[in-house]
Amino acid sequence: MRTIHLYLLPALAFSNQLASAEPLLDSWYTKDAGKLARIWETIESETTEKESYLDGSPTTVTSVTTWDRSEFPGNNIGIAAGDQTVPVYGGVQEISFSDDSVYVRSTGLPTHVAGPWYDNIYVRNTLFASFPGNAAMIYRFPRETNYPQDYTSPNNLSNPGNCGLFVNGVALYNTTDTFGYVAASGTDGGPGSEASGSGDGFWNRDAFVNEGPTFDSGNSHQAQESHHYHANPPALRHLLGDSVDHDPTVVFTGLVSKGGTNPYSENFNGQHSPIIGWVNDGLPMYGPYGYSDPTDASSEVRLMITGYQERDGTNGTEDLTTASGTNQQGEATGRTSLPQWVITFGMQSSTTLSASQYGPPVNDEFVLGHYMEDYAYKGDLGGFDLYEGVEIDGEFVDGTHYDLNEYNVRYCVTPEFPDGTWAYFTAIKENGDPTYPYNLAPAYFGDSSLAGTATSIPAGVTLFFEGGEALEDKPERIVQDEGIVTITWSVIEGGEYRVDTSTELETWDESGEIFSADSNHLSVEDDSSIPTGDGQVFYRLTRTGVAAYEDATGATISEGTLSFPFTFSGVLPPEITPITGATVGEVSATVIDYSADSTSATATLSFDTSSMTAGQSYSATLYASGPPPQNEALEFTSSNSYTHSED
């Protein structure tokens, strides 16, 4: 009888991830950490790939791992920014922890294919201003928060920019796009606007309504190179198994509810949503489905109902569509007062406005929902009750009860927190469209100082997970059919591999061809090594190298030579103090990029790491010639350092 084996080296027979039952460690999506970030640059390239699908896979791959927005015409105001000149692995690349903190290192780019992005996906005549890039970010979260069930929020306003991190390492943004109405100009502030300033602060734009046409099918886009989600992330939720179907042959042309086509569709599977992110106050964020009774894990699972509604005249709200005053532009408008929550969050001291603070009338340009202040919190209206469970409120009643408070959280039991926790839930409609306040309201529920970006990971932490080149190559399956053996491994994209064979595990045939992996799964067919009779054959996969890539610190890794950005203080521009040389530790380095002002400089240095010791940190030194006539020899030591890891 012929026997065919996969051979596992003893050192590779074990996972590099420690056992854990801690949600803050376990919830991160690391399954595709060996996959390079990819985008479609245009809808034409997306269409070409999707039209080539055959038997579940594309025969033509048009998504790219390097890109440069400047290679395409500027957007409608002439902006074209953002690039990724070296491939980079997507998502979470490192997780480590200390006694009180968890540190997550991420490139900020998803592992699902992102893009394309347009100024308006429904028109598609100009590309969006920017493409994304490697964020090379570190996020720190507290291992414990201990918010009691009767906790009172300090009303920390949610900040522009990173408000947390989704479990695939993409930044979590709040509900605003940071711009608003400028009454004196009669229009919104922002790029390309004729208005003076970004907004008066009374009517603040809703990011999903205003920027939604620039989102891709995953509801993502970027500010400059900073990739992020403002609202329900369907591509991530699909990867997590959270009630989202994906048809890889459908080209994204906008929300289906707005006449577009979307590869992602909501399809409730009856299961509680997983954790999809962690917020700056240390609390988890779930997908849109939770237990109906917040205290009973045996109750049915259903869509969580948002605590907000439009101010359309129903349920005791003001009708912003009906004129109630005249604004500074002489227009009759219904936007003459603010909702109560602006006082709750400490954003304003009154809901009453003067005529000079009135907003624009509701019309095709300023639709209802254009501003965050177009929504009222149901808890401030009559006829609604925040649902607290069967024992207190009886059965849940549609139209009367809602689940999420003004901060978009509720106290509840979840699969990860059976004893209860405060938790955010992403807010959607039944068809999957995001609805206000999306992921995060204008204020955090908890203390927003507990988590956030960090500049470094302290020494002495315990490494829990490491992605990219550090991942182990693992066999997935072996199939023999009519004399052909097909073996599939989980590998790293960009890795260079060779398949070796042996009949007795002592000597190996290493004459096989070396080939590159173009995804994070590798299948190899063999019909030449099949034993006959009672023979046996063993297969092993040997990684012989990795193509150049940019890691999650921003360093370029290439065949033992690395490029890394160092920062210096007190270095003058090179035309005043020419750079004459550089070293990293004792290793000579080449300056491949340099920028400086009168106080600081950034120099990207290329150097050979082969003589460096794993775990040791190396600072850089720049050598310069001072101004004439003295031409004094100058040395500058970097304020940061490069820590070498094992190849």
Side-chain angles (χ1 to χ4, degrees):
M1 181 178 119
R2 295 177 297 175
T3 306
I4 299 171
H5 303 272
L6 282 175
Y7 177 66
L8 274 170
L9 292 174
L12 299 183
F14 304 96
S15 169
N16 67 337
Q17 184 160 315
L18 303 175
S20 172
E22 186 174 342
L24 190 54
L25 291 172
D26 296 333
S27 60
W28 300 98
Y29 183 75
T30 58
K31 180 180 177 182
D32 292 331
K35 199 172 183 179
L36 295 173
R38 288 178 172 272
I39 72 168
W40 284 299
E41 297 167 304
T42 66
I43 198 167
E44 289 78 16
S45 64
E46 179 187 5
T47 301
T48 297
E49 179 168 327
K50 291 186 171 182
E51 286 182 345
S52 76
Y53 263 76
L54 181 66
D55 297 329
S57 298
T59 57
T60 302
V61 176
T62 57
S63 59
V64 295
T65 58
T66 61
W67 52 83
D68 187 345
R69 178 64 180 86
S70 68
E71 294 178 355
F72 299 87
N75 75 335
N76 58 10
I77 56 173
I79 299 175
D83 62 20
Q84 186 63 47
T85 58
V86 181
V88 59
Y89 291 103
V92 174
Q93 291 295 305
E94 183 181 323
I95 304 168
S96 55
F97 63 90
S98 63
D99 289 343
D100 56 10
S101 298
V102 170
Y103 296 87
V104 179
R105 190 188 296 274
S106 172
T107 62
L109 300 171
T111 56
H112 60 81
V113 182
W117 299 275
Y118 285 84
D119 280 336
N120 188 336
I121 188 61
Y122 302 98
V123 180
R124 302 183 293 279
N125 55 1
T126 54
L127 287 174
F128 185 57
S130 55
F131 282 171
N134 180 7
M137 75 171 91
I138 300 171
Y139 233 92
R140 184 194 63 80
F141 294 94
R143 293 187 72 175
E144 293 185 5
T145 54
N146 298 318
Y147 293 112
Q149 189 170 352
D150 60 355
Y151 179 77
T152 299
S153 174
N155 291 317
N156 298 155
L157 294 182
S158 54
N159 49 284
N162 294 0
C163 296
L165 204 61
F166 284 96
V167 295
N168 63 347
V170 173
L172 187 161
Y173 276 33
N174 68 3
T175 186
T176 180
D177 72 354
T178 73
F179 303 111
Y181 185 65
V182 180
S185 304
T187 190
D188 292 337
S193 172
E194 297 178 356
S196 175
S198 59
D200 296 337
F202 298 102
W203 300 96
N204 299 284
R205 294 201 321 194
D206 178 308
F208 177 72
V209 172
N210 289 274
E211 295 185 340
T214 71
F215 294 173
D216 65 1
S217 61
N219 276 339
S220 74
H221 72 169
Q222 42 279 331
Q224 298 299 319
E225 290 190 349
S226 300
H227 191 71
H228 58 271
Y229 306 119
H230 282 280
N232 165 47
L236 168 60
R237 288 181 50 220
H238 169 72
L239 293 174
L240 297 174
D242 187 25
S243 297
V244 174
D245 291 341
H246 179 235
D247 184 342
T249 67
V250 174
V251 174
F252 181 64
T253 60
L255 297 178
V256 174
S257 61
K258 294 182 178 294
T261 55
N262 194 336
Y264 295 101
S265 57
E266 198 71 20
N267 185 11
F268 180 43
N269 62 17
Q271 302 299 310
H272 193 290
S273 286
I275 294 172
I276 64 171
W278 293 87
V279 183
N280 280 359
D281 55 10
L283 291 176
M285 177 176 291
Y286 284 83
Y289 301 101
Y291 298 127
S292 180
D293 187 323
T295 64
D296 184 4
S298 67
S299 62
E300 69 167 328
V301 176
R302 59 172 175 79
L303 182 68
M304 296 290 95
I305 303 302
T306 175
Y308 287 84
Q309 73 151 75
E310 290 179 336
R311 297 169 68 194
D312 58 3
T314 64
N315 302 314
T317 62
E318 302 90 344
D319 186 358
L320 301 191
T321 66
T322 300
S324 54
T326 303
N327 67 15
Q328 194 169 343
Q329 300 299 313
E331 301 167 312
T333 180
R335 289 186 171 109
T336 59
S337 65
L338 299 176
Q340 183 65 30
W341 57 258
V342 299
I343 297 177
T344 302
F345 295 157
M347 297 171 66
Q348 303 291 344
S349 59
S350 173
T351 62
T352 302
L353 297 175
S354 65
S356 64
Q357 298 164 342
Y358 290 172
V362 174
N363 53 32
D364 290 344
E365 181 180 1
F366 301 102
V367 298
L368 188 63
H370 186 88
Y371 301 108
M372 298 190 300
E373 291 79 9
D374 288 353
Y375 296 92
Y377 173 54
K378 293 175 182 176
D380 296 327
L381 308 174
F384 288 106
D385 287 310
L386 179 65
Y387 190 61
E388 298 182 77
V390 172
E391 290 188 5
I392 298 175
D393 296 315
E395 296 296 328
F396 185 89
V397 178
D398 287 331
T400 297
H401 292 130
Y402 60 97
D403 298 296
L404 305 172
N405 68 14
E406 61 265 58
Y407 305 94
N408 211 35
V409 302
R410 72 168 182 165
Y411 192 87
C412 57
V413 296
T414 71
E416 293 78 14
F417 295 93
D419 295 327
T421 183
W422 286 101
Y424 295 87
F425 287 77
T426 191
I428 66 169
K429 300 176 183 177
E430 287 190 1
N431 66 358
D433 285 358
T435 190
Y436 193 86
Y438 314 110
N439 295 324
L440 187 65
Y444 296 99
F445 176 69
D447 179 358
S448 61
S449 68
L450 294 183
T453 55
T455 57
S456 63
I457 298 175
V461 299
T462 299
L463 181 65
F464 181 75
F465 171 82
E466 194 169 17
E469 191 174 358
L471 286 174
E472 300 164 358
D473 304 312
K474 297 180 179 180
E476 294 184 332
R477 61 184 177 273
I478 182 168
V479 177
Q480 182 182 0
D481 183 24
E482 297 182 354
I484 298 177
V485 175
T486 302
I487 311 167
T488 302
W489 281 272
S490 172
V491 297
I492 63 168
E493 188 173 2
E496 297 174 349
Y497 292 94
R498 184 188 67 234
V499 176
D500 304 330
T501 58
S502 174
T503 57
E504 25 63 28
L505 291 180
E506 293 185 5
T507 58
W508 290 86
D509 181 356
E510 300 179 351
S511 63
E513 179 183 356
I514 294 176
F515 49 89
S516 297
D518 57 8
S519 76
N520 61 334
H521 297 280
L522 180 64
S523 292
V524 177
E525 292 185 349
D526 178 39
D527 61 2
S528 61
S529 304
I530 308 302
T532 59
D534 294 330
Q536 62 181 1
V537 63
F538 294 86
Y539 292 87
R540 74 179 181 188
L541 185 70
T542 299
R543 189 191 300 172
T544 62
V546 179
Y549 68 94
E550 187 174 276
D551 72 8
T553 70
T556 299
I557 312 296
S558 176
E559 293 296 329
T561 300
L562 180 142
S563 298
F564 188 83
F566 291 92
T567 54
F568 301 83
S569 297
V571 186
L572 295 175
E575 61 270 18
I576 300 176
T577 54
I579 303 301
T580 58
T583 58
V584 178
E586 301 297 324
V587 177
S588 296
T590 301
V591 180
I592 60 175
D593 189 39
Y594 182 85
S595 61
D597 55 28
S598 60
T599 60
S600 63
T602 298
T604 299
L605 306 182
S606 176
F607 51 98
D608 188 341
T609 62
S610 59
S611 64
M612 293 183 168
T613 302
Q616 185 168 331
S617 295
Y618 298 87
S619 59
T621 303
L622 280 183
Y623 302 94
S625 176
Q630 292 86 0
N631 297 112
E632 178 186 4
L634 304 174
E635 294 185 12
F636 302 94
T637 302
S638 64
S639 56
N640 63 329
S641 59
Y642 161 70
T643 302
H644 186 56
S645 59
E646 290 284 1
D647 294 336

